[in-house]
């Protein structure tokens, strides 16, 4: 039913949607947006980065070392926030409720609409950005490092794992269209890497925080390797905050309060262990003993492994990850052992882009290993990879989770407001027809009983 509704959205929005169950070929429902070609280069990400992962880790470690020097900050100039006081009601900015505990999913969709309206350069006022970070951090504070997703076990409840978004607001927008906004029967688990590389990390992080605040029992967040002030200092988020006059340092507390792993209950396709990247050389008992990160995640063995590692099923056991220069390579035997220990059937991670959005590797005894990546047009694939999410269904013990993928929305990006940092200031032009279609249906979604007003 969700898929049927999603396809009617997508049809009007000039995009393609694939729905694939494990072991079947994708079903192409709709035509590719006119004017797009498979070889079209990505315009959503900072292509000056060649995504060399070893350089990424080495740069981060260098950044950590530099940060320990007294004068190191001089090489990373900050733009101080222009204002942290509440904007006057007459200010033509987007205003959030005074008491954020009263914020609804509808308010969050209004904010998304504001971000996507012409002239395409809207962002949150520094006061509200600070307020939502504080509110989201206080919700995360009560959650465990290895957190269990609790659901009300309502009929037809789904838990959807969302992979890296990397500042791609259009992919977050199409996610909300495709699987509908979070609700008590539509649980979201964002699996890290919300910021860096893309042009709208501030807006992506703002919408994710607002979804968490408006639906705290329906939204869960894992920490990725880019939710680290040392990493996002080098990969775009800090520069973007500076260009939008936001206090970047306030994000540090939010990052440190993110959970590192989530357990999906066994009633949902046998359950799953979900981490951003992987696991290292530790048993389940050690894994469960970790606490949330304090400062950089590159300083601690287990945290670094969870957020930086990659699978290598050609070998068994654990070995150092010489490609990234951080984290480990782990074999299928390591995954199978930890699944046995935690009593779950599937292992889900993100961290690496996949051409088809989701990659599934079948392990022994029906157990599954999944890589989920949700940002489209990623530079690794010349800008033509699909978005993917993985959906767990209540009562679906006998089957695997459902893979849902779709193509990117057609976008026209401009960079005519590049500031001195070389960073596009957020002037993203989306085709007006697409925008009209997205928000034409927003009222329908609200009317469908999916609006969440929980606080
Ligand atoms: Mn990552």
């Amino acid at each position: 039913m969700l898929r049927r509704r999603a396809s009617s959205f997508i049809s009007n929005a000039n995009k393609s949607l694939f729905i694939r169950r494990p072991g079947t070929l994708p079903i192409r429902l709709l035509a590719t947006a006119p004017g797009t070609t498979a070889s079209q280069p990505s315009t959503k990400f900072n292509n000056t980065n060649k995504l060399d992962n070893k350089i990424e880790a080495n740069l981060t470690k260098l950044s950590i070392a530099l940060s320990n020097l007294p004068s190191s900050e001089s090489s990373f100039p900050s733009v101080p926030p222009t204002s942290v006081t509440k904007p006057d009601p007459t200010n033509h900015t987007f205003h959030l409720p005074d008491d954020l505990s009263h914020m609804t999913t509808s308010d969050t969709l209004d904010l998304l609409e504001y971000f996507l309206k012409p002239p395409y350069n809207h962002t949150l006022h520094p006061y509200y950005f600070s307020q939502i970070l504080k509110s989201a951090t206080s919700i995360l504070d009560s959650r465990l490092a290895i957190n269990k997703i609790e659901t009300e076990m309502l009929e037809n409840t789904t838990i959807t794992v969302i992979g890296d978004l990397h500042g791609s607001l259009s992919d977050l927008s199409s996610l909300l269209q495709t699987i509908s906004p979070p609700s008590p029967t539509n649980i979201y688990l964002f699996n890290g890497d919300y910021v860096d590389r893309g042009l709208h990390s501030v807006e992506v992080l703002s919408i994710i925080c607002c979804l968490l605040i408006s639906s705290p029992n329906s939204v869960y967040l894992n920490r990725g390797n880019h939710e680290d002030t040392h990493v996002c200092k080098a990969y775009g988020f800090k520069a973007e905050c500076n260009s939008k006059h936001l206090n970047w340092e306030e994000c540090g507390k939010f990052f440190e309060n993110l959970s590192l792993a989530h357990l999906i209950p066994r009633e949902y396709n046998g359950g799953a262990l979900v981490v951003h990247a992987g696991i290292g050389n530790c048993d389940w008992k050690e894994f469960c003993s970790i606490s949330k990160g304090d400062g950089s995640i590159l300083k601690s063995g287990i945290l670094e492994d969870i957020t930086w590692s990659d699978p290598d099923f050609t070998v068994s056991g654990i070995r150092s990850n010489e490609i990234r220069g951080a984290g480990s390579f782990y074999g299928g035997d390591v995954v199978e052992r930890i699944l046995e220990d935690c009593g779950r059937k599937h292992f889900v991670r993100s961290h690496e882009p996949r051409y088809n959005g989701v990659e599934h590797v079948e392990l022994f005894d029906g157990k599954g290993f999944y890589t989920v990546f949700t940002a489209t047009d990623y530079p690794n694939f010349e800008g033509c990879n699909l978005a993917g999410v993985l959906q767990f269904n209540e009562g679906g013990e006998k089957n695997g989770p459902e893979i849902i993928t779709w193509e990117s929305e057609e976008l026209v990006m401009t960079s005519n407001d590049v500031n001195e940092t070389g960073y596009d200031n957020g002037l993203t032009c989306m085709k007006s027809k697409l925008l009209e279609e997205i928000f034409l249906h927003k009222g329908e979604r609200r009317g469908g009983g999916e609006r969440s007003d929980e606080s």
Side-chain angles (χ1 to χ4, degrees):
M1 188 171 152
L2 276 170
R3 249 69 63 201
R4 192 172 311 222
R5 186 163 56 242
S7 69
S8 70
F9 273 62
I10 309 302
S11 175
N12 290 326
N14 277 346
K15 52 190 285 194
S16 296
L17 173 72
F18 296 92
I19 298 172
R20 186 162 70 88
R21 290 175 176 78
T24 65
L25 291 171
I27 304 163
R28 186 167 184 145
L29 297 177
L30 302 156
T32 306
T36 59
T37 62
S39 59
Q40 193 172 20
S42 172
T43 51
K44 293 192 293 191
F45 300 97
N46 185 351
N47 281 313
T48 57
N49 285 327
K50 295 301 179 188
L51 308 182
D52 184 321
N53 289 317
K54 190 163 187 176
I55 290 175
E56 178 174 290
N58 287 341
L59 261 178
T60 306
K61 286 176 175 172
L62 180 63
S63 169
I64 293 169
L66 284 172
S67 71
N68 292 326
L69 298 175
S71 59
S72 63
E73 274 301 313
S74 62
S75 58
F76 299 104
S78 296
V79 177
T82 51
S83 168
V84 289
T85 56
K86 188 178 174 183
D88 189 272
T90 58
N91 188 320
H92 293 294
T93 188
F94 189 91
H95 294 273
L96 290 172
D98 284 339
D99 183 351
L100 290 181
S101 69
H102 294 156
M103 193 159 71
T104 65
T105 302
S106 175
D107 294 327
T108 305
L109 292 176
D110 288 343
L111 178 62
L112 178 62
E113 185 173 2
Y114 172 74
F115 287 157
L116 295 174
K117 264 183 185 169
Y120 315 109
N121 62 350
H122 291 120
T123 194
L124 207 48
H125 187 279
Y127 172 81
Y128 291 125
F129 187 68
S130 173
Q131 292 299 108
I132 61 163
L133 277 174
K134 283 176 188 157
S135 180
T137 302
S138 76
I139 294 169
L140 296 174
D141 185 49
S142 63
R143 296 185 179 178
L144 300 171
I146 311 298
N147 199 40
K148 286 183 183 173
I149 292 182
E150 310 278 357
T151 74
E152 297 172 33
M153 302 305 293
L154 300 171
E155 200 175 343
N156 296 324
T157 298
T158 58
I159 299 172
T160 303
V161 182
I162 298 119
D164 300 29
L165 283 163
H166 276 307
S168 174
L169 188 63
S170 59
D171 288 317
L172 178 56
S173 171
S174 61
L175 166 80
L176 288 161
Q177 296 170 68
T178 304
I179 62 169
S180 300
S183 73
T185 57
N186 191 22
I187 313 289
Y188 275 41
L189 169 53
F190 288 100
N191 200 23
D193 280 8
Y194 319 119
V195 301
D196 280 347
R197 301 203 189 287
L199 302 175
H200 296 94
S201 295
V202 164
E203 289 73 34
V204 166
L205 189 61
S206 299
I207 293 296
I208 289 175
C209 283
C210 289
L211 289 172
L212 174 67
I213 295 163
S214 55
S215 300
N217 298 322
S218 306
V219 175
Y220 295 85
L221 309 178
N222 270 342
R223 187 173 185 178
N225 58 314
H226 282 265
E227 278 74 58
D228 181 322
T229 50
H230 291 283
V231 174
C232 63
K233 187 186 280 184
Y235 283 87
F237 182 53
K238 181 180 182 183
E240 184 184 338
C241 285
N242 286 348
S243 74
K244 295 173 180 175
H245 308 290
L246 301 170
N247 189 348
W248 167 80
E249 291 181 4
E250 288 185 343
C251 298
K253 269 262 174 273
F254 172 82
F255 292 162
E256 290 173 14
N257 274 282
L258 290 162
S259 295
L260 297 157
H262 274 86
L263 284 163
I264 291 177
R266 294 180 186 85
E267 291 81 5
Y268 292 77
N269 305 108
L273 173 63
V274 186
V275 294
H276 176 67
I279 43 176
N281 196 14
C282 68
D283 60 24
W284 179 241
K285 194 176 170 190
E286 286 175 283
F287 188 87
C288 290
S289 70
I290 60 170
S291 53
K292 290 177 180 174
D294 179 15
S296 175
I297 42 186
L298 270 171
K299 289 177 182 171
S300 161
I302 298 178
L303 259 60
E304 182 176 319
D305 278 329
I306 288 173
T307 53
W308 279 87
S309 298
D310 296 303
D312 180 358
F313 290 176
T314 63
V315 296
S316 57
I318 301 280
R319 63 184 174 88
S320 68
N321 192 328
E322 72 277 2
I323 303 291
R324 288 191 188 270
S328 302
F329 280 119
Y330 51 98
D333 58 319
V334 179
V335 175
E336 289 175 356
R337 191 171 60 239
I338 205 147
L339 287 177
E340 285 291 317
D341 292 346
C342 72
R344 298 301 194 275
K345 201 166 175 183
H346 306 285
F347 189 99
V348 185
R349 46 91 65 170
S350 299
H351 194 44
E352 290 180 288
R354 289 291 182 258
Y355 184 79
N356 289 318
V358 177
E359 182 185 72
H360 171 218
V361 177
E362 193 160 328
L363 305 174
F364 80 102
D365 198 24
K367 289 184 166 57
F369 181 89
Y370 295 87
T371 297
V372 182
F373 203 84
T374 309
T376 59
D377 293 351
Y378 217 60
N380 301 48
F381 299 109
E382 303 287 325
C384 58
N385 62 295
L386 301 178
V389 296
L390 191 62
Q391 196 164 72
F392 288 82
N393 298 282
E394 188 272 332
E397 289 96 318
K398 289 182 183 170
N399 306 312
E402 190 169 16
I403 293 171
I404 301 173
T405 65
W406 63 92
E407 283 187 359
S408 72
E409 292 167 351
E410 187 183 3
L411 296 174
V412 179
M413 314 287 286
T414 65
S415 56
N416 55 349
D417 192 24
V418 175
N419 61 23
E420 68 277 4
T421 65
Y423 200 82
D424 184 316
N425 207 17
L427 285 183
T428 303
C429 294
M430 299 186 76
K431 286 209 164 179
S432 58
K433 186 179 177 200
L434 173 63
L435 284 167
E436 283 167 19
E437 296 296 344
I438 292 172
F439 296 108
L440 185 67
H441 292 276
K442 194 172 71 171
E444 258 177 46
R445 291 203 301 272
R446 289 180 191 169
E450 294 180 31
R451 172 175 168 176
S452 171
D453 291 323
E454 59 192 287
S455 58

